Amino acid sequence: KTKRTMSDIKVVPLGAGQDVGRSCILVNIGGKRIMLDCGMHMGYNDQRRFPDFSYIGAGPVTDYIDCVIISHFHLDHCGALPYFTEMYGYDGPVYMTHPTKAICPILLEDYRKITVDKKGETNFFTSAVKNSNFEIFRIFL
């Protein structure tokens, strides 16, 4: 069995590195790339509201990310998920708890209605999140 060292783990904040909102952390460990949260910053109305996904790499982001884990349903932790899937083409697994899976699509669709339908923003995301097939996992505490 090989011994892992701290140098085997790489943590890169794509958002919220020194800020509240836009929570998104890329963790490389054991040859896997895991994105922890995919949130948005509610204080911005431009590209700064989203994490810096350009750091991930060129081409399909699914080639670079093994999975996304959403910690909970607040927009600063899940709000950029539709943008990430629609604009960057991520189609890999997204894991979240049962309560988050139940509430997240409702919250995202409500925010989409306000942002796109009422404010007229474009290049955001569609209502496809309502029919998303997020996977769930159960946490035993």
Side-chain angles (χ1 to χ4, degrees):
K1 186 173 180 179
T2 45
K3 183 179 175 185
R4 292 196 189 270
T5 64
M6 289 304 287
S7 62
D8 295 333
I9 301 170
K10 183 178 179 183
V11 177
V12 179
L14 302 179
Q18 298 194 20
D19 200 358
V20 174
R22 195 176 40 214
S23 180
C24 187
I25 299 168
L26 190 58
V27 177
N28 295 323
I29 184 168
K32 300 291 183 188
R33 294 183 195 106
I34 301 166
M35 181 182 288
L36 303 175
D37 287 333
C38 191
M40 64 187 313
H41 195 294
M42 303 303 293
Y44 297 112
N45 289 325
D46 54 20
Q47 287 302 110
R48 293 176 295 170
R49 87 174 104 195
F50 301 115
D52 184 6
F53 297 127
S54 67
Y55 179 84
I56 295 171
V61 293
T62 307
D63 293 346
Y64 297 98
I65 305 291
D66 292 295
C67 72
V68 176
I69 299 174
I70 302 297
S71 63
H72 62 285
F73 57 81
H74 291 161
L75 288 174
D76 60 328
H77 292 265
C78 71
L81 189 57
Y83 182 80
F84 186 57
T85 58
E86 291 189 27
M87 302 302 174
Y88 280 83
Y90 178 76
D91 63 357
V94 177
Y95 299 105
M96 58 186 68
T97 62
H98 286 279
T100 299
K101 183 181 180 186
I103 296 171
C104 187
I106 297 166
L107 191 64
L108 291 170
E109 175 60 11
D110 186 54
Y111 187 73
R112 185 202 65 79
K113 283 180 183 176
I114 293 167
T115 305
V116 176
D117 295 349
K118 299 226 188 289
K119 292 183 180 178
E121 289 191 30
T122 59
N123 199 27
F124 195 58
F125 58 85
T126 67
S127 61
V129 71
K130 287 170 65 174
N131 301 318
S132 60
N133 192 19
F134 298 138
E135 297 181 42
I136 54 173
F137 68 95
R138 190 166 180 187
I139 300 174
F140 296 97
L141 300 175

